Amino acid sequence: MTEQAARRGRPRDAARDRALLDATLAVLSESGYGGLTTAAVAARAGVSTATLYRRWPSKEALVVAAAAAYAQELTAPADTGTLEGDLRALLRDKAASMTGKEGGVLRSLIAEAAHNTPLAEVLTNTFVAPVRRRMEEIAQRAVDRGEISPVEHADLLGDLVIGPMMSKFFLTPLLPDEVDTASATETADHLLPFLLRAVGGKGPA
């Protein structure tokens, strides 16, 4: 077997893939999509641009892969045993994902997605759809426990989480001390009574 054939048959280095995806998210957070270059990502990851392009053929493909990987690492759904507890966990989770470094990444991706269809599809599938599914599951568990009556159009409940969070953290000018973890948690808790009422639940205990 020739050396070239051996290289083609060698499995990809998962650690190197991870380093490149992490570097992509770091550069996105610092420079936005427009300021991201494959050279900057490769340098941050400590590899050559040739190594990067063997994995992803373009900047767009790299960013799409990084966005998908990032979304998979967000906090896993929690079953707290109560409607109030489930909604609080979801709201705090989403508030945390829209602030700090995570918020910077999402802001960059959303801005680019307005005129980038593949990236918009990734955002819908990996950020929006999971929230909608999670809200449907939360509502169904609450129905099964007898906490609320069946909710009509439960598939729309996720937008009651996404919309206020986007308005607060992405569309409203905020001071630096208004986007830390504590303030994100406070915002989530302020939204909780409204979301509870929307699904027919009682106010927070």
Side-chain angles (χ1 to χ4, degrees), residues 152-173:
E152 190 175 3
H153 303 304
D155 57 312
L156 300 178
L157 292 176
D159 294 337
L160 299 180
V161 175
I162 298 168
M165 291 293 181
M166 292 281 290
S167 175
K168 173 66 175 178
F169 295 116
F170 289 173
L171 302 179
T172 304

Side-chain angles (χ1 to χ4, degrees), residues 35-200:
L36 182 145
T37 65
T38 52
V41 171
R44 177 70 69 96
V47 303
S48 68
T49 52
T51 296
L52 186 156
Y53 282 121
R54 279 198 294 270
R55 289 160 166 76
W56 297 283
S58 66
K59 167 181 169 176
E60 179 183 272
L62 173 63
V63 170
V64 165
Y70 166 78
Q72 290 174 358
E73 294 178 356
L74 296 180
T75 305
D79 182 354
T80 67
T82 68
L83 174 62
E84 180 182 337
D86 286 354
L87 292 179
R88 180 180 288 108
L90 173 60
L91 287 167
R92 289 182 175 183
D93 178 13
K94 294 306 108 183
S97 73
M98 292 187 181
T99 55
K101 182 180 73 173
E102 292 83 357
V105 170
L106 270 178
R107 193 173 287 105
S108 296
L109 295 175
I110 290 169
E112 174 62 20
H115 47 84
N116 185 320
T117 300
L119 187 55
E121 290 175 351
V122 168
L123 286 176
T124 298
N125 292 333
T126 60
F127 290 100
V128 177
V131 176
R132 290 173 175 162
R133 287 195 299 269
R134 188 166 164 186
M135 271 301 303
E136 287 187 83
E137 292 166 1
I138 287 172
Q140 187 58 54
R141 286 200 300 267
V143 170
D144 294 342
R145 289 191 296 259
E147 291 182 86
I148 61 173
S149 301
V151 179
E152 190 175 3
H153 303 304
D155 57 312
L156 300 178
L157 292 176
D159 294 337
L160 299 180
V161 175
I162 298 168
M165 291 293 181
M166 292 281 290
S167 175
K168 173 66 175 178
F169 295 116
F170 289 173
L171 302 179
T172 304
L174 298 173
L175 298 173
D177 61 354
E178 293 180 301
V179 293
D180 59 15
T181 302
S183 63
T185 298
E186 183 179 11
T187 296
D189 290 347
H190 286 167
L191 288 170
L192 178 59
F194 298 97
L195 189 56
L196 269 170
R197 286 198 291 271
V199 298

